[in-house]
Every structure is written in C-alpha cells, then in structure tokens.
Amino acid sequence: KTLAKLMKILADRKDDELVACGEVDNNILFRIDRSVLNSRFLEKSFPAFEKVLPSFDDHAVIADRSALAQALKRVSLLSSERSRAVRFEVSKGRLEISSNSPDLGEATEVLTVDYEGKGVTIGFNAKYVVDFTEAVDDARVRITLKDGNTQGLFTSEGEQGHDYRYVVMPMQLRGEEVS
C-alpha cells in the first residue's frame, strides 16, 4: 500500500521537487516537497525462504526469454482455464511445451535450448512462468530442474541478471504421472 501511494505521489510531483527518504525507529519516511508519507515496518519474522530454494543443479536449461514467453502464451490458450497447466518436456537441445484440454484441443511449441542432460517432464502453471519472463530483462533465462515432482528454479542469465530467483512449484498433469 505504501509503495502504491508513493508511486501516485511521485507521478504527480514536479521535476524540481526533491525527494528524501529516511528511517526513524520502526518507520520509513518519504518527504516530497511539503508532503510526508510515513509507513511502519512489519515486525513479524518472515519464513525461512531459503528452505524452498532448490539446492540442485541437475538439469539446467538455458532458453531465450522472449521465445519462451511467447510460446507459453500461445500454448496456454488451449490449457484448462482453471489450472493453466502446461507440460515442459526437456531433452538434448530442445524444450517442448504443450497443453491439452478436452474442450479446446491441444497445442505444442518446440524451442531450441541449451541443454545436454537426460530427459525431464514436468508440469507448471503457465501464468507463473510468464510472470517470471515479464519480470526479468535479460535475453536468456535459466530453468533449473531436478525431476518432475520437485520445484523448478527460474533465474535470469546475463548482465541484467540481478539476483532474481523465482521458484515455481510443479503441477500434476491430469491423468498421468510426471517423472
């Protein structure tokens, strides 16, 4: 809420107005010209997120970010609207993304990727992976997988790649085991 309010204030300010930011006790203060925005820091402790970050590097796939995003958007059009499930089938030099819906039909896209490991099949919610591709700026992304039942780690691959890590939990694909 604070960031949304700050963005609104900043959008309405004049270019010559100074913005100052500071911390007092358990509050953060933003001063824009004659306005002051005050917000209290959360006092709760956050969960140990490190526990859900994968610590494996079994299967690292390097893909073109834009091509991945576009393929996901096209393929997910024929996925179930409720689950948005898509299948990733990774094999040497290739990522096949597919979906199917009894009502809508099937869709498949094949991308050329940098990958040398053994084959892996995993299901993901397409929306979550598309959200990742829209959040990073690098031309290439890394998808680190272990198997079809373990979360995938999505990271940026390149100069822009801030330490951005995105964990996506796998989905059970309808009527079949993912392995």
Side-chain angles (χ1 to χ4, degrees), residues 23-119:
E23 180 182 350
V24 177
D25 296 324
N26 202 29
N27 295 293
I28 186 165
L29 302 164
F30 298 94
R31 184 170 175 262
I32 301 100
D33 195 32
R34 288 179 264 168
S35 300
V36 176
L37 177 62
N38 179 34
S39 184
R40 188 178 335 191
F41 288 119
L42 294 175
E43 294 183 20
K44 296 180 181 179
S45 61
F46 289 94
F49 68 88
E50 295 89 359
K51 290 182 180 179
V52 297
L53 291 177
S55 60
F56 51 80
D57 200 11
D58 297 16
H59 307 286
V61 178
I62 309 296
D64 178 89
R65 179 188 57 82
S66 179
L68 177 63
Q70 294 306 313
L72 281 164
K73 289 175 185 177
R74 287 188 296 267
V75 169
S76 68
L77 289 173
L78 296 182
S79 66
S80 159
E81 196 169 316
R82 193 184 95 225
S83 72
R84 308 301 282 174
V86 295
R87 169 194 305 276
F88 278 35
E89 287 187 54
V90 182
S91 58
K92 185 176 179 176
R94 176 177 205 263
L95 169 60
E96 181 176 306
I97 304 169
S98 61
S99 69
N100 84 43
S101 168
D103 300 330
L104 302 172
E106 298 179 14
T108 301
E109 293 260 346
V110 177
L111 301 176
T112 301
V113 296
D114 293 341
Y115 180 71
E116 296 296 325
K118 67 178 187 168

Side-chain angles (χ1 to χ4, degrees), residues 65 68 126-137 140-143 153-157 164-168:
R65 179 188 57 82
L68 177 63
K127 179 177 179 351
Y128 298 148
V129 182
V130 168
D131 287 348
F132 163 76
T133 64
E134 291 174 350
V136 296
D137 294 327
R140 295 166 52 89
V141 294
R142 175 184 296 264
I143 306 165
L153 177 64
F154 292 74
T155 55
S156 187
E157 183 80 3
Y164 185 72
R165 296 175 284 180
Y166 195 81
V167 177
V168 181

